[in-house]
Amino acid sequence: MFLKGKTALITGSTSGIGLGYARALAKEGANVMINGFGDRDAIDGYVAELSAASGAGALYSDADMTKPGEIRDMVADCTAQLGAPDILINNAGIQHVAPVDEFPEEKWDAVLAIILSSAFHTTKAALPAMKAKGWGRVINTGSMHSLVASPFKSAYNAAKHGLSGFTKTVALEVATQGITVNNICPGYVWTPLVENQIPDTMKTRGLTRDQVINDVLLANQPQKQFVQVEQLAALALFLCREEASAITGTNLSVDGGWTAQ
Ligand code: NAD
């Protein structure tokens, strides 16, 4: 349990990849604060499961990642109740699929706020304590869309490319202070976020469900398999180890070969 005594705050962790990170970190003994939306009974169940796995603290914050004040309160609550975050994972995200000239303005604003601006607000709030301890890990969940684009995802691609630039900038600012900052860039992972974009993609491109899965989602993923949540969690855990302390400011692809093309 190499993370005993450490505290992790993971945004967007009531589901999918974020919940996978939370489970992996708790298994190594970390206090964990999860965040996101969803069924309250299910979330209470995750909190109990995480605490049982770690033998440490686990809490839930319902902070909305579009609201800077709620983000600051979340970091303060985590600090007061579990300890200042030693590990911050910026993972919350949403998707909206539409041609740019039809892209709803409120969706553009929401995607940018949840993926990109929330990472700024959490990082700004969490860094001072990491600097004081001389140790920290900031892990962002980017995407292959931090590195390359696909059509009809202008907001998502802009936000994820932005997250890559933000990662590099913060990594440089804290490079001598024991804090690393990295951007994990998954290919398609089978989670509710992917499931939920299938109907819109069917409509936008006039395809069946199977065609969306095989001809759109996995078309450019050379391994022809979805990335697994556990594979991303294993990388996040490695980034928390001392052996990974020289890895900073990077985009780390876990994409079945997507960006090799
Ligand atoms: P998911 O829909 O399962 O999880 C998203 C999480 O974000 C949920 O916990 C949700 O409640 C939370 N969330 C959404 N809006 C929020 C808000 N306003 N405030 C707080 N929390 C909010 O999706 P996922 O696939 O696990 O995605 C997690 C991250 O991984 C996202 O940043 C996504 O862009 C990225 N990603 C996913 C894939 C994939 O194929 N699934 C690929 C590359 C990158």
Side-chain angles (χ1 to χ4, degrees), residues 12 14-15 17 37 64-65 91 141-142 156 160 187 189 191-194:
T14 52
S15 152
I17 296 167
F37 303 141
D64 182 340
M65 291 301 107
N91 174 76
T141 304
Y156 188 85
K160 293 293 190 183
V189 190
T191 68
L193 182 140
V194 169

Side-chain angles (χ1 to χ4, degrees), residues 233-249:
L235 177 56
L237 266 190
F238 179 67
L239 289 172
C240 294
R241 290 190 177 274
E242 291 317 304
E243 293 92 322
S245 60
I247 302 175
T248 196

Side-chain angles (χ1 to χ4, degrees), residues 34-133:
I34 60 169
N35 156 259
F37 303 141
D39 175 70
R40 192 57 209 239
D41 288 341
I43 291 170
D44 289 345
Y46 299 143
V47 170
E49 174 201 327
L50 293 167
S51 174
S54 64
L59 283 175
Y60 164 64
S61 162
D62 65 359
D64 182 340
M65 291 301 107
T66 65
K67 306 216 164 90
E70 292 189 18
I71 296 171
R72 283 190 288 274
D73 289 349
M74 173 182 71
V75 176
D77 285 350
C78 182
T79 302
Q81 298 185 57
L82 293 176
D86 303 284
I87 300 160
L88 168 66
I89 306 191
N90 292 306
N91 174 76
I94 58 167
Q95 176 62 280
H96 188 79
V97 179
V100 68
D101 49 341
E102 295 169 19
F103 211 92
E105 286 162 20
E106 67 280 7
K107 292 286 184 195
W108 172 274
D109 289 342
V111 171
L112 268 287
I114 293 168
I115 292 176
L116 183 57
S117 298
S118 80
F120 160 71
H121 294 296
T122 56
T123 304
K124 181 176 177 186
L127 268 187
M130 291 184 189
K131 287 180 179 175
K133 293 184 205 176

